[in-house]
mmCIF file of all heavy atoms in Angstrom:
data_model
loop_
_atom_site.group_PDB
_atom_site.id
_atom_site.type_symbol
_atom_site.label_atom_id
_atom_site.label_comp_id
_atom_site.label_asym_id
_atom_site.label_seq_id
_atom_site.Cartn_x
_atom_site.Cartn_y
_atom_site.Cartn_z
ATOM 1 N N ASN V 3 -20.009 -16.334 63.733
ATOM 2 C CA ASN V 3 -20.927 -15.382 63.126
ATOM 3 C C ASN V 3 -21.460 -15.938 61.833
ATOM 4 O O ASN V 3 -20.706 -16.172 60.902
ATOM 5 C CB ASN V 3 -20.216 -14.024 62.892
ATOM 6 C CG ASN V 3 -21.170 -12.936 62.572
ATOM 7 O OD1 ASN V 3 -22.247 -13.196 62.033
ATOM 8 N ND2 ASN V 3 -20.818 -11.722 62.914
ATOM 9 N N ALA V 9 -15.141 -8.130 53.342
ATOM 10 C CA ALA V 9 -13.807 -7.926 53.992
ATOM 11 C C ALA V 9 -13.845 -6.702 54.919
ATOM 12 O O ALA V 9 -13.348 -6.767 56.033
ATOM 13 C CB ALA V 9 -12.741 -7.752 52.915
ATOM 14 N N GLU V 30 1.810 -23.210 50.047
ATOM 15 C CA GLU V 30 1.753 -24.583 49.482
ATOM 16 C C GLU V 30 1.560 -24.550 47.975
ATOM 17 O O GLU V 30 2.103 -25.411 47.253
ATOM 18 C CB GLU V 30 0.651 -25.379 50.180
ATOM 19 C CG GLU V 30 1.087 -25.746 51.594
ATOM 20 C CD GLU V 30 0.063 -26.490 52.410
ATOM 21 O OE1 GLU V 30 -1.004 -26.855 51.892
ATOM 22 O OE2 GLU V 30 0.352 -26.703 53.591
ATOM 23 N N THR V 34 4.341 -26.012 45.431
ATOM 24 C CA THR V 34 3.887 -27.003 44.443
ATOM 25 C C THR V 34 4.108 -26.493 43.005
ATOM 26 O O THR V 34 4.358 -27.320 42.100
ATOM 27 C CB THR V 34 2.463 -27.389 44.723
ATOM 28 O OG1 THR V 34 2.321 -27.785 46.065
ATOM 29 C CG2 THR V 34 2.035 -28.560 43.834
ATOM 30 N N GLY V 51 6.375 -37.287 27.242
ATOM 31 C CA GLY V 51 5.569 -36.265 26.584
ATOM 32 C C GLY V 51 4.360 -35.846 27.422
ATOM 33 O O GLY V 51 4.233 -34.668 27.784
ATOM 34 N N PRO V 52 3.448 -36.794 27.721
ATOM 35 C CA PRO V 52 2.243 -36.407 28.489
ATOM 36 C C PRO V 52 2.575 -35.911 29.900
ATOM 37 O O PRO V 52 1.868 -34.993 30.368
ATOM 38 C CB PRO V 52 1.408 -37.698 28.529
ATOM 39 C CG PRO V 52 2.221 -38.800 27.929
ATOM 40 C CD PRO V 52 3.361 -38.143 27.187
ATOM 41 N N GLY V 67 -3.165 -19.408 40.583
ATOM 42 C CA GLY V 67 -3.818 -19.687 41.835
ATOM 43 C C GLY V 67 -3.158 -19.006 43.018
ATOM 44 O O GLY V 67 -3.785 -18.420 43.889
ATOM 45 N N ALA V 77 -6.737 -8.175 50.026
ATOM 46 C CA ALA V 77 -8.069 -7.600 50.089
ATOM 47 C C ALA V 77 -8.542 -7.607 51.541
ATOM 48 O O ALA V 77 -9.401 -6.787 51.946
ATOM 49 C CB ALA V 77 -9.032 -8.409 49.212
ATOM 50 N N HIS V 81 -0.684 -8.591 55.269
ATOM 51 C CA HIS V 81 0.513 -8.795 54.464
ATOM 52 C C HIS V 81 0.538 -10.184 53.816
ATOM 53 O O HIS V 81 0.325 -11.197 54.521
ATOM 54 C CB HIS V 81 1.744 -8.592 55.332
ATOM 55 C CG HIS V 81 3.052 -8.596 54.575
ATOM 56 N ND1 HIS V 81 3.503 -7.509 53.870
ATOM 57 C CD2 HIS V 81 3.967 -9.581 54.395
ATOM 58 C CE1 HIS V 81 4.667 -7.800 53.284
ATOM 59 N NE2 HIS V 81 4.965 -9.019 53.582
ATOM 60 N N ALA V 82 0.812 -10.256 52.541
ATOM 61 C CA ALA V 82 0.893 -11.543 51.814
ATOM 62 C C ALA V 82 2.292 -12.086 51.940
ATOM 63 O O ALA V 82 3.283 -11.360 51.771
ATOM 64 C CB ALA V 82 0.503 -11.348 50.363
ATOM 65 N N ARG V 92 6.052 -22.295 55.987
ATOM 66 C CA ARG V 92 4.612 -22.420 56.194
ATOM 67 C C ARG V 92 4.038 -23.661 55.529
ATOM 68 O O ARG V 92 2.984 -24.184 55.948
ATOM 69 C CB ARG V 92 3.846 -21.214 55.594
ATOM 70 C CG ARG V 92 3.957 -19.930 56.345
ATOM 71 C CD ARG V 92 3.276 -18.842 55.533
ATOM 72 N NE ARG V 92 3.513 -17.502 56.006
ATOM 73 C CZ ARG V 92 2.766 -16.832 56.846
ATOM 74 N NH1 ARG V 92 1.668 -17.420 57.268
ATOM 75 N NH2 ARG V 92 3.015 -15.595 57.209
ATOM 76 N N LYS V 94 3.093 -27.318 54.055
ATOM 77 C CA LYS V 94 3.140 -28.762 54.408
ATOM 78 C C LYS V 94 3.618 -29.605 53.201
ATOM 79 O O LYS V 94 3.860 -30.763 53.330
ATOM 80 C CB LYS V 94 1.729 -29.226 54.851
ATOM 81 C CG LYS V 94 1.405 -28.839 56.289
ATOM 82 C CD LYS V 94 0.211 -29.552 56.827
ATOM 83 C CE LYS V 94 -1.064 -28.831 56.384
ATOM 84 N NZ LYS V 94 -2.298 -29.530 56.842
ATOM 85 N N MET V 107 7.388 -39.410 40.859
ATOM 86 C CA MET V 107 6.939 -37.983 40.632
ATOM 87 C C MET V 107 5.438 -37.872 40.622
ATOM 88 O O MET V 107 4.885 -36.945 41.219
ATOM 89 C CB MET V 107 7.532 -37.449 39.309
ATOM 90 C CG MET V 107 9.004 -37.180 39.353
ATOM 91 S SD MET V 107 9.567 -36.522 37.760
ATOM 92 C CE MET V 107 11.304 -36.270 38.102
ATOM 93 N N ALA V 127 -13.404 -23.519 55.266
ATOM 94 C CA ALA V 127 -14.292 -23.729 56.450
ATOM 95 C C ALA V 127 -14.071 -22.632 57.508
ATOM 96 O O ALA V 127 -15.015 -22.174 58.139
ATOM 97 C CB ALA V 127 -14.038 -25.122 57.033
ATOM 98 N N HIS V 132 -16.401 -17.433 59.918
ATOM 99 C CA HIS V 132 -16.413 -15.998 60.166
ATOM 100 C C HIS V 132 -17.378 -15.264 59.244
ATOM 101 O O HIS V 132 -17.432 -14.027 59.247
ATOM 102 C CB HIS V 132 -15.018 -15.407 59.943
ATOM 103 C CG HIS V 132 -14.020 -15.854 61.018
ATOM 104 N ND1 HIS V 132 -14.039 -15.334 62.280
ATOM 105 C CD2 HIS V 132 -13.057 -16.755 61.005
ATOM 106 C CE1 HIS V 132 -13.051 -15.906 63.007
ATOM 107 N NE2 HIS V 132 -12.450 -16.783 62.246
ATOM 108 N N ARG V 144 -10.377 -23.291 44.349
ATOM 109 C CA ARG V 144 -9.000 -23.793 44.312
ATOM 110 C C ARG V 144 -8.965 -25.264 44.787
ATOM 111 O O ARG V 144 -8.224 -26.065 44.190
ATOM 112 C CB ARG V 144 -8.088 -22.928 45.194
ATOM 113 C CG ARG V 144 -7.745 -21.522 44.639
ATOM 114 C CD ARG V 144 -7.149 -21.507 43.264
ATOM 115 N NE ARG V 144 -6.041 -22.378 43.145
ATOM 116 C CZ ARG V 144 -5.540 -22.889 41.993
ATOM 117 N NH1 ARG V 144 -6.158 -22.573 40.862
ATOM 118 N NH2 ARG V 144 -4.531 -23.692 41.986
ATOM 119 N N ARG V 156 -3.716 -39.693 39.972
ATOM 120 C CA ARG V 156 -4.064 -41.010 40.512
ATOM 121 C C ARG V 156 -4.421 -41.971 39.362
ATOM 122 O O ARG V 156 -4.082 -43.144 39.421
ATOM 123 C CB ARG V 156 -5.289 -40.880 41.442
ATOM 124 C CG ARG V 156 -5.530 -42.061 42.352
ATOM 125 C CD ARG V 156 -6.758 -41.904 43.250
ATOM 126 N NE ARG V 156 -6.796 -40.563 43.874
ATOM 127 C CZ ARG V 156 -7.717 -39.600 43.678
ATOM 128 N NH1 ARG V 156 -8.694 -39.826 42.837
ATOM 129 N NH2 ARG V 156 -7.619 -38.446 44.294
#
Side-chain angles (χ1 to χ4, degrees):
N3 193 331
E30 288 177 5
T34 307
H81 187 80
R92 287 176 191 266
K94 282 192 275 177
M107 286 181 180
H132 291 284
R144 289 304 309 158
R156 196 181 313 115

